[in-house]
Amino acid sequence: MTSKNLPKFVKSHHLNGYVNNHQVNFTRAFGTNNKEDATYNRPRTWDGQRILTPSKKQSITQKHYAMFLKPDHKISVQKVQQVLGSHFNNTKYDSNGKWVGGYRPINVPTDVESHILQIRPNVPKEMAGVQWLAMASPATSVYVPFYTNVNNTPANYQKGTDKPDNESAYWTYKMTRVLTDPYKNKLVNKDVVPVQKKTNRHLKTSLKDNDQQAKNLTGDELTTFLTQCNRQNADYAQNIFQKLNKKLIVDSTRQKKIVQDKNL
């Protein structure tokens, strides 16, 4: 998995991590392990390993983590989504909760987009590639599956600047994050998570149905069909989240209780 000359390179350049018999600790040789890593990088390693290999008990304050770990179960697309959207969920370090330690999570409010690239072995190669794309923060967004054998992208993914708008996919999902951020887990758990689950179920079923319809198509006809499927899935998800945002506007205004004098 590495160049056969890599241990020689480490030794000749007097890098840390070289051990006799041409063994190399790659973390020590090519990585850092300083004060910034203790709050910025290592905690995210801990969180990813916590999710994928929960049987291995570790501390978030450890100075070293294994470079490779075997997951407790085979890793699905949904599990990768969980990792990329994690902010130390269900721990005292949750950045949407008490945020003990102030550690930087994998998912932060300033995320712009997140991608998962999947090549599927159980379908024809012309439709094997799928890019799961979540705009803005994955924790409050949804991963939409996009076939890669297409001739165009949905219009709502072609739009968008640094100025908020009501049409682009990015600003729809960004607004969800903005509306929930002041109230953290409260509105996320109450409003966003149920919508995410519903949308994920629909998109997963849609992908399966589209695969079935596409398996007998070829050439330009297949490409055109997959392009259409992408547009339909993108529009469905965005419409759902636009409705969610309207609900969040209402629910967020109810979070601050105003005490009124009934005599006035």
Side-chain angles (χ1 to χ4, degrees):
M1 296 180 69
T2 64
S3 167
K4 64 180 180 180
N5 294 320
L6 193 56
K8 181 180 178 181
F9 176 89
V10 173
K11 181 180 180 181
S12 63
H13 288 80
H14 306 289
L15 301 179
N16 292 326
Y18 180 81
V19 184
N20 291 333
N21 301 321
H22 298 284
Q23 294 181 0
V24 176
N25 182 316
F26 295 107
T27 300
R28 293 187 62 196
F30 300 106
T32 57
N33 204 348
N34 53 35
K35 182 179 179 181
E36 288 74 21
D37 291 320
T39 56
Y40 199 95
N41 292 323
R42 294 202 303 267
R44 290 188 283 180
T45 300
W46 173 82
D47 200 26
Q49 294 186 354
R50 173 184 72 95
I51 295 170
L52 297 177
T53 313
S55 61
K56 186 174 181 61
K57 305 304 179 184
Q58 304 182 102
S59 168
I60 198 171
T61 58
Q62 285 180 209
K63 292 186 177 180
H64 301 282
Y65 296 96
M67 185 173 181
F68 298 105
L69 279 183
K70 182 178 180 180
D72 287 355
H73 305 283
K74 288 185 177 181
I75 300 175
S76 64
V77 169
Q78 289 68 37
K79 205 65 177 178
V80 178
Q81 293 175 3
Q82 181 184 348
V83 171
L84 295 179
S86 179
H87 41 85
F88 304 118
N89 305 54
N90 303 316
T91 75
K92 64 183 179 180
Y93 310 112
D94 190 344
S95 58
N96 281 1
K98 295 181 179 179
W99 203 11
V100 173
Y103 302 117
R104 182 179 176 85
I106 295 171
N107 180 93
V108 294
T110 53
D111 285 345
V112 176
E113 55 190 72
S114 180
H115 304 251
I116 302 171
L117 306 182
Q118 180 185 22
I119 300 177
R120 305 175 299 162
N122 58 334
V123 297
K125 64 180 181 180
E126 293 79 10
M127 48 192 284
V130 173
Q131 178 178 191
W132 299 80
L133 174 58
M135 300 302 290
S137 172
T140 53
S141 181
V142 66
Y143 282 90
V144 179
F146 289 93
Y147 290 106
T148 56
N149 178 17
V150 295
N151 54 33
N152 206 342
T153 55
N156 43 346
Y157 282 79
Q158 297 181 29
K159 300 177 181 179
T161 66
D162 58 348
K163 305 297 182 183
D165 63 66
N166 297 318
E167 298 179 358
S168 68
Y170 171 78
W171 282 109
T172 294
Y173 296 108
K174 180 65 174 180
M175 184 58 67
T176 306
R177 180 72 207 203
V178 169
L179 290 169
T180 57
D181 202 47
Y183 311 105
K184 305 299 182 183
N185 284 331
K186 187 172 184 179
L187 290 186
V188 171
N189 293 333
K190 176 180 177 294
D191 292 335
V192 179
V193 171
V195 171
Q196 284 178 318
K197 290 180 178 179
K198 175 185 175 182
T199 308
N200 282 329
R201 286 194 299 267
H202 176 92
L203 293 174
K204 186 176 181 180
T205 300
S206 177
L207 184 62
K208 183 177 180 180
D209 292 343
N210 293 335
D211 284 347
Q212 284 296 111
Q213 296 178 58
K215 65 181 182 181
N216 295 322
L217 302 178
T218 59
D220 291 344
E221 189 178 12
L222 173 62
T223 300
T224 298
F225 176 73
L226 298 182
T227 302
Q228 178 184 352
C229 292
N230 285 355
R231 184 177 66 253
Q232 291 173 344
N233 286 330
D235 288 346
Y236 170 83
Q238 186 171 351
N239 288 336
I240 290 293
F241 272 73
Q242 285 173 338
K243 293 178 182 177
L244 169 63
N245 288 345
K246 292 179 181 179
K247 186 176 189 301
L248 286 170
I249 291 173
V250 174
D251 286 354
S252 63
T253 59
R254 293 173 175 169
Q255 298 308 305
K256 299 295 184 182
K257 301 298 182 182
I258 304 298
V259 178
Q260 299 240 132
D261 187 333
K262 295 180 179 180
N263 297 318
L264 296 179

